[in-house]
């Protein structure tokens, strides 16, 4: 009987180890994807040709407006990555989101692309992130409307 218990305990410890290893690997993949995204955004910000291509694809946005939105995207993507891998709690994310939404380009980015980010969300962590960002956008937009 003792051997059966020991075997069960070892199996449980092994399963927990595999689970933690899988989570760590997923976090590493998330961070690598964000690094590639950040590098692409940096390239786009420094490339007039890419600015023109993407601004034309968006229609009413000028290349300069698109660069501003890319900069906001860099910040928001970074915050999302930190939240997804556990470096930000819901409360600390809310503080960061509130700060981003105080900046006009942060609100403009969320107004323009927030619905798209919600559509492309692939998991519950990203949906929670989007909900917090949207709450802070709504709060900031509401305070703007009261101030006007």
């Amino acid at each position: 009987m003792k051997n059966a218990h020991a075997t069960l305990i070892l199996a449980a410890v092994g399963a927990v180890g595999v689970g933690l290893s899988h989570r760590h690997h997923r976090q590493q993949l998330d961070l690598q994807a964000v690094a590639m995204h950040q590098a692409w955004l940096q390239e786009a910000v420094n490339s007039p040709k890419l600015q023109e291509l993407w601004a034309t694809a968006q229609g009413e946005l000028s290349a300069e407006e698109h660069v501003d939105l890319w900069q906001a995207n860099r910040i928001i993507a970074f915050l999302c990555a930190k939240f997804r891998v556990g470096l930000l709690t819901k409360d600390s994310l809310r503080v960061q989101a509130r700060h981003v939404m105080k900046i006009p380009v942060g609100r403009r980015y969320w107004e323009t692309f927030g619905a798209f980010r919600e559509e492309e969300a692939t998991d519950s962590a990203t949906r929670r992130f989007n909900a917090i960002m949207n709450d802070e956008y709504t709060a900031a937009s509401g305070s703007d409307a009261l101030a006007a």
Side-chain angles (χ1 to χ4, degrees):
M1 191 64 131
K2 288 184 181 184
N3 286 338
H5 283 67
T7 303
L8 265 170
I9 291 170
L10 285 174
V13 169
V16 168
V18 168
L20 290 173
S21 177
H22 175 73
R23 186 175 84 186
H24 178 74
H25 180 68
R26 179 70 184 164
Q27 289 172 333
Q28 291 300 312
L29 291 174
D30 281 349
L31 293 174
Q32 288 172 3
V34 168
M36 289 187 299
H37 180 251
Q38 293 286 332
W40 185 87
L41 285 170
Q42 184 62 39
E43 182 180 341
V45 164
N46 293 321
S47 168
K49 184 171 180 148
L50 281 175
Q51 292 169 21
E52 183 181 327
L53 287 171
W54 281 91
T56 302
Q58 283 301 111
E60 76 276 358
L61 296 176
S62 70
E64 184 177 310
E65 288 173 308
H66 216 83
V67 167
D68 289 346
L69 293 177
W70 279 333
Q71 296 291 14
N73 186 358
R74 292 182 78 183
I75 294 166
I76 290 170
F78 180 63
L79 291 176
C80 186
K82 286 177 68 175
F83 182 69
R84 288 177 52 82
V85 301
L87 297 176
L88 289 176
T89 65
K90 286 182 184 180
D91 292 337
S92 60
L93 171 60
R94 194 165 294 283
V95 169
Q96 295 291 319
R98 192 172 302 128
H99 177 73
V100 168
M101 295 306 168
K102 285 181 182 177
I103 304 166
V105 72
R107 291 190 307 277
R108 173 91 164 116
Y109 174 85
W110 200 258
E111 176 185 319
T112 305
F113 297 109
F116 175 73
R117 289 185 73 98
E118 289 177 26
E119 278 183 55
E120 72 172 353
T122 57
D123 59 26
S124 60
T126 305
R127 285 188 283 281
R128 282 192 309 273
F129 172 85
N130 289 341
I132 291 169
M133 294 300 291
N134 200 55
D135 288 349
E136 294 304 324
Y137 167 77
T138 301
S141 297
S143 65
D144 283 353
L146 294 174

